[in-house]
Amino acid sequence: MKARGKGAPSAPSIFEEVAGRAPLAARMRPRALDEVAGQRHLLDRGRALRESIERGETGSILFWGPPGTGKTTLARLIARYAKGEFIQFSAVTDGIPRIREIVADAERRLVSGVRTVLFIDEIHRFNRGQQDALLPHVEAGTVTLIGATTENPSFELNGALLSRLRVYVLEALTPDDIKGVIERAIADRDHGLGDTAVAIDADAMAILSVESDGDARRALTILEAAVGLAKSTQPTTEDQSPKTETASASEVSDFGLRSSVLPVTGAIVREALQWRSAHYDKSGEEHYNLISAYHKALRGSDPQGALYWLARMIDGGEDPMYIARRTVRFASEDVGLADPRALEIAIAARDAWHFLGSPEGELALAEAAVYLATAPKSNRVYTAWSAAQAAARDTPAAAVPKHIRNAPTKLMKELGYGEGYQYAHSVPEGYLPQDYLPDEIADAKFYVPTTFGFEKEIAKRIEWWAKLKSDRRPKTGD
């Protein structure tokens, strides 16, 4: 790559169209920092990232953010400003031999003073062997690594490589950002739709701005499909030759008055959109984010939130049995004995879905979600179980008190096994006070009920038994 001037360098080969029929999203890829939509927290003048890009001194970095937010574009711009050779590496199809080849070429370029910018898209698919092979060359500066990922890098990259990268978080584009991308594509005569005289109405713009979900690539892909659909539905008698002007919807009150204008309406965009896919990855961070949101809405007694996040998971393709298992767990952990019916309903919902499948069985999951969200809450069984487990680990050799040991043989009886045991059903109250814990933790109290729901009744029972214990404590030898 030949050196370019600083400031607003002319586009190198990595920005040139490879074919006249390249998709609109590819043709409209920003060629300068000022053309990048959104990411003002990183790219406004005076921001550290922008300054380092313009100096050509970013070092190795990682872009983490949703699809269509500019990760690949920024990587290409970094190579452009750094006057470096841009090399793209596939974490899926390329292996360690390819890394060695890239590094050898990079070492030869360094002799001539040319840097190598190695771009790895979806770097979360980079396996440990690939990461280890590249690490020393990133550390030595042989290559400038630019990684891009939609997944949380702290889960996907090893600590050694991650510590050598500066991580920048890209945000989903706002509806206004998307609107700017669309307007630029409609007006651009060199790379966009400027020669087509597209007139997009307010409804179509609103749909594109919102339903693109902050993804500029998605917005441009839908726009291109909508324009194609609009062309196909134009009357054949109309003059459909390319125009040299761009019209906006505000310039015409009736699309039929101007045959030169190609109208793109909300109905056309909806037809082009067809299906708005959910942002969900069953094995990625969003999987854990959504199940966390579902749990927290249940715990927060918000049936609206619980239903919404449940629907998001189902719509995103999550396994309903996974949701059912987490619902059962929630019933035990967060509702507990404040409402003993909660566990029954959660298990019934699991069984109903298993019996009916989708979509019919999903209603049972929704019913369980509403029940759990509106049930009284208690985690006292959960905390009691955790405390009991800790006590068991701390006293693994504590002996079982002799009076509650099993005594099936004569020898065991002679050794005192079972001696002094009080049979609770021998008295009308069905309770005789005696010790059931080993001496080391004789005074331990693991379960202490709340005053909510059914645990209020449990608390009364425990209080009654405590009174009986103080009043009728058996004498030694009884």
Side-chain angles (χ1 to χ4, degrees):
M1 180 180 296
K2 295 180 181 180
R4 307 282 181 180
K6 187 179 176 182
S10 58
S13 60
I14 57 175
F15 286 93
E16 294 173 1
E17 286 183 27
V18 295
R21 291 176 293 181
L24 178 62
R27 302 199 309 269
M28 289 304 300
R29 188 181 296 281
R31 289 160 170 76
L33 286 173
D34 288 335
E35 294 179 3
V36 178
Q39 316 312 331
R40 298 339 305 163
H41 64 296
L42 298 176
L43 299 178
D44 272 346
R45 295 194 180 278
R47 295 288 183 176
L49 178 60
R50 183 182 183 117
E51 294 291 324
S52 64
I53 291 175
E54 290 181 334
R55 291 195 310 271
E57 299 173 355
T58 62
S60 292
I61 60 178
L62 176 66
F63 292 122
W64 171 27
T69 53
K71 298 184 293 295
T72 302
T73 292
L74 287 174
R76 290 175 177 269
L77 286 170
I78 287 170
R80 176 184 178 186
Y81 279 87
K83 307 179 184 69
E85 186 73 19
F86 183 85
I87 304 295
Q88 191 154 351
F89 180 92
S90 170
V92 177
T93 60
D94 294 332
I96 293 177
R98 174 59 179 153
I99 291 176
R100 295 194 185 106
E101 179 183 318
I102 290 170
V103 169
D105 290 341
E107 289 173 339
R108 284 192 289 271
R109 290 190 198 100
L110 277 178
V111 175
S112 305
V114 178
R115 304 180 198 175
T116 299
V117 176
L118 175 60
F119 176 62
I120 304 176
D121 196 10
E122 302 302 322
I123 196 172
H124 58 270
R125 300 185 185 277
F126 218 35
N127 65 45
R128 299 292 175 176
Q130 291 169 319
Q131 292 181 42
D132 291 341
L134 188 58
L135 180 61
H137 308 293
V138 172
E139 189 170 22
T142 308
V143 297
T144 298
L145 173 62
I146 310 294
T149 181
T150 56
E151 300 293 335
N152 190 326
S154 59
F155 296 153
E156 307 297 339
L157 298 184
N158 66 44
L161 181 58
L162 190 58
S163 69
R164 288 160 176 80
L165 303 174
R166 280 185 291 171
V167 179
Y168 292 97
V169 180
L170 275 65
E171 299 172 350
L173 303 188
T174 66
D176 284 344
D177 294 332
I178 295 293
K179 183 178 178 182
V181 170
I182 295 167
E183 289 174 342
R184 189 166 69 88
I186 291 174
D188 192 319
R189 294 176 180 174
D190 294 326
H191 308 290
L193 304 169
D195 286 341
T196 308
V198 173
I200 183 167
D201 70 16
D203 184 34
M205 181 66 82
I207 294 169
L208 276 171
S209 299
V210 173
E211 300 205 11
S212 297
D213 294 323
D215 183 336
R217 187 186 303 108
R218 176 174 168 81
L220 291 172
T221 300
I222 297 170
L223 174 63
E224 187 173 30
V227 168
L229 184 60
K231 287 180 178 178
S232 70
T233 57
Q234 286 284 84
T236 56
T237 57
E238 234 176 85
D239 178 15
Q240 297 183 12
S241 61
K243 309 300 176 184
T244 59
E245 62 174 340
T246 299
S248 67
S250 61
E251 292 177 305
V252 290
S253 57
D254 181 353
F255 289 132
L257 296 178
R258 296 250 326 259
S259 61
S260 62
V261 171
L262 182 68
V264 175
T265 65
I268 289 175
V269 169
R270 287 194 184 281
E271 181 65 22
L273 181 64
Q274 287 294 318
W275 180 56
R276 186 181 182 187
S277 61
H279 280 192
Y280 194 66
D281 180 351
K282 289 189 287 183
S283 62
E285 183 190 9
E286 202 64 5
H287 163 81
Y288 298 103
N289 285 341
L290 264 66
I291 195 65
S292 174
Y294 174 62
H295 269 221
K296 288 178 172 64
L298 290 176
R299 186 179 296 132
S301 300
D302 183 354
Q304 278 61 245
L307 286 170
Y308 173 76
W309 296 116
L310 172 63
R312 280 281 301 274
M313 288 188 287
I314 293 290
D315 190 53
E318 182 58 81
D319 178 6
M321 281 303 288
Y322 168 77
I323 301 172
R325 289 194 297 271
R326 301 311 304 168
T327 301
V328 170
R329 166 70 184 197
F330 178 88
S332 296
E333 180 178 339
D334 288 277
V335 176
L337 291 176
D339 186 348
R341 284 275 296 155
L343 183 57
E344 297 175 17
I345 287 176
I347 291 175
R350 178 207 63 183
D351 292 347
W353 187 88
H354 191 265
F355 179 66
L356 292 173
S358 288
E360 291 88 350
E362 293 163 8
L363 184 59
L365 296 176
E367 181 180 339
V370 171
Y371 188 94
L372 294 177
T374 55
K377 306 297 189 296
S378 170
N379 71 342
R380 295 299 176 85
V381 171
Y382 172 72
T383 57
W385 174 236
S386 297
Q389 287 181 303
R393 287 190 292 268
D394 291 341
T395 57
V400 176
K402 282 190 175 181
H403 67 283
I404 57 173
R405 292 186 186 182
N406 187 34
T409 69
K410 180 179 179 182
L411 176 60
M412 289 178 172
K413 291 177 181 177
E414 290 175 350
L415 293 173
Y417 285 28
E419 184 177 347
Y421 171 65
Q422 303 288 316
Y423 185 61
H425 297 295
S426 65
V427 296
E429 297 87 350
Y431 174 78
L432 286 169
Q434 55 193 322
D435 294 325
Y436 294 97
L437 289 171
D439 293 339
E440 293 89 333
I441 54 171
D443 297 325
K445 283 186 173 54
F446 303 125
Y447 176 65
V448 179
T450 67
T451 57
F452 303 112
F454 185 69
E455 281 197 323
K456 186 186 298 183
E457 296 301 315
I458 296 175
K460 290 178 182 178
R461 296 176 189 176
I462 292 177
E463 184 180 356
W464 180 64
W465 289 323
K467 186 176 183 303
L468 286 178
K469 189 171 185 176
S470 64
D471 292 345
R472 300 179 55 183
R473 185 74 180 180
K475 297 177 182 179
T476 305
D478 284 356

